[in-house]
Amino acid sequence: MSTPQVEAFLEMMAVERDASPHTLSAYGRDLADAEAGIDGGLMGGDEAGIEAWYADLGRRGLSPATQARRRSAVRQFYRFALGEGWRADDPSRRLDAPKQGRSLPRTLSGDEVERLLATAATHDGAAGLRLVALVELAYASGLRVSELLGLRVEAVRRDPAFLIVRGKGGKERLAPLNASAREAVKVWLIARDAARPEKTPDSPWLFPSASAKGHLTPRRFAQLLDQAALDAGIDPARVSPHVLRHAFATHLLEGGADLRVVQTLLGHADISTTQIYTHVATDRLARVVRDKHPLAREE
């Protein structure tokens, strides 16, 4: 059973941080586990009790990812408790994050991306044209979903070959647009403008909607992709806005693009973040060594 303090924390997460229902549910389970497993509960536990509970998570067989999330939930709860004056200390401050192997990104093959686009194109009316433009832009440019959905219509009115994108940390970068993406945007703009009622001001967003922010939301885009994936015979669990960004990077590297170039296009501050995509090019690299190395031998 949840305590009043946990309920107040979850309410804060929902209102002030706009946490999704999924996140709130997960944090609620994590804090319930801590409440039951810490001697004295969350409000009465000390450093030793919290560290003992945390150490037991691994012995119970929980994955490093789950352990890390529970650590995050507890640490955020105690920071909130400090701010509310419920506790004068943070007994979770010495919890170390579990070591995690870096997960490989999910991606799609080139054929699967083409099937996804072909399926999107079969949708009737402006909704289908919008989905094609979304997928084309995501796959052609490697934009983060927030960058894609936050595009302003004025940025594409003149059919640019590149977009100037403001990414994480306010850093700007150039995102390329190929001919296919540019054509999809042109067609979408015609449909978008035709759908706007007369004498109403134009939305500043390329993909306007009735949401609070005025543009299509990541959740809605994900729902549209799920349906397109089902129609294309692809497992929806393998498709998301972020997977299209992964496919952009993966297919560039498979085609021989330089890692530093892909890093720049993705807007990664650290090249080690980009290097995770190199796993997909293993076969190509093996062929290069076999065909080009002077000491290569045929088996």
Side-chain angles (χ1 to χ4, degrees), residues 149-211:
L149 301 181
L151 284 174
R152 292 183 172 270
V153 68
E154 64 189 24
V156 299
R157 285 286 188 195
R158 296 184 179 180
D159 187 26
F162 291 87
L163 295 173
I164 299 176
V165 180
R166 188 179 296 275
K168 287 186 177 180
K171 295 181 179 179
E172 290 187 344
R173 72 182 191 279
L174 291 177
L177 296 182
N178 58 28
S180 181
R182 291 164 67 181
E183 183 60 29
V185 170
K186 286 180 190 177
V187 175
W188 160 240
L189 281 175
I190 294 171
R192 174 191 179 280
D193 293 345
R196 179 165 60 92
E198 290 186 17
K199 299 181 180 180
T200 59
D202 191 13
S203 167
W205 310 110
L206 177 57
F207 300 107
S209 81
S211 71

Side-chain angles (χ1 to χ4, degrees), residues 48-287:
I50 290 167
E51 289 171 8
W53 161 77
Y54 186 61
D56 189 53
L57 297 181
R59 289 192 289 269
R60 287 158 53 188
L62 275 66
S63 70
T66 300
Q67 294 177 54
R69 194 192 65 227
R70 293 203 170 169
R71 170 182 177 270
S72 175
V74 166
R75 294 206 65 185
Q76 289 189 66
F77 172 79
Y78 279 121
R79 282 196 290 270
F80 178 67
L82 274 172
E84 294 294 307
W86 298 337
R87 289 195 61 135
D89 64 332
D90 177 3
S92 70
R93 60 189 178 87
R94 296 194 305 184
L95 291 182
D96 292 325
K99 289 183 171 57
Q100 300 186 62
R102 199 161 195 178
S103 59
L104 297 178
R106 289 178 296 165
T107 190
L108 298 170
S109 68
D111 176 67
E112 287 173 325
V113 174
E114 289 181 5
R115 283 161 51 197
L116 200 62
L117 283 166
T119 299
T122 65
H123 292 201
D124 292 333
L129 299 177
R130 181 182 64 177
L131 184 55
V132 171
L134 283 162
V135 176
E136 286 277 14
L137 278 173
Y139 181 57
S141 64
L143 293 177
R144 297 179 177 93
V145 66
S146 59
E147 298 166 347
L148 172 62
L149 301 181
L151 284 174
R152 292 183 172 270
V153 68
E154 64 189 24
V156 299
R157 285 286 188 195
R158 296 184 179 180
D159 187 26
F162 291 87
L163 295 173
I164 299 176
V165 180
R166 188 179 296 275
K168 287 186 177 180
K171 295 181 179 179
E172 290 187 344
R173 72 182 191 279
L174 291 177
L177 296 182
N178 58 28
S180 181
R182 291 164 67 181
E183 183 60 29
V185 170
K186 286 180 190 177
V187 175
W188 160 240
L189 281 175
I190 294 171
R192 174 191 179 280
D193 293 345
R196 179 165 60 92
E198 290 186 17
K199 299 181 180 180
T200 59
D202 191 13
S203 167
W205 310 110
L206 177 57
F207 300 107
S209 81
S211 71
K213 291 187 176 181
H215 58 68
L216 198 69
T217 65
R219 187 170 299 178
R220 181 56 182 153
F221 184 21
Q223 290 171 345
L224 294 172
L225 282 178
D226 281 351
Q227 186 57 57
L230 280 171
D231 294 343
I234 303 170
D235 182 359
R238 297 180 54 238
V239 181
S240 73
H242 204 58
V243 166
L244 293 174
R245 176 170 157 89
H246 290 167
F248 164 80
T250 298
H251 297 166
L252 280 178
L253 288 169
E254 284 181 333
D258 182 85
L259 191 63
R260 288 287 182 185
V261 172
V262 177
Q263 177 192 5
T264 300
L265 292 173
L266 290 174
H268 286 161
D270 190 336
I271 197 169
S272 65
T273 307
T274 317
Q275 283 175 325
I276 195 169
Y277 292 100
T278 59
H279 78 283
V280 302
T282 300
D283 290 343
R284 183 183 64 82
L285 293 174
R287 288 196 301 271

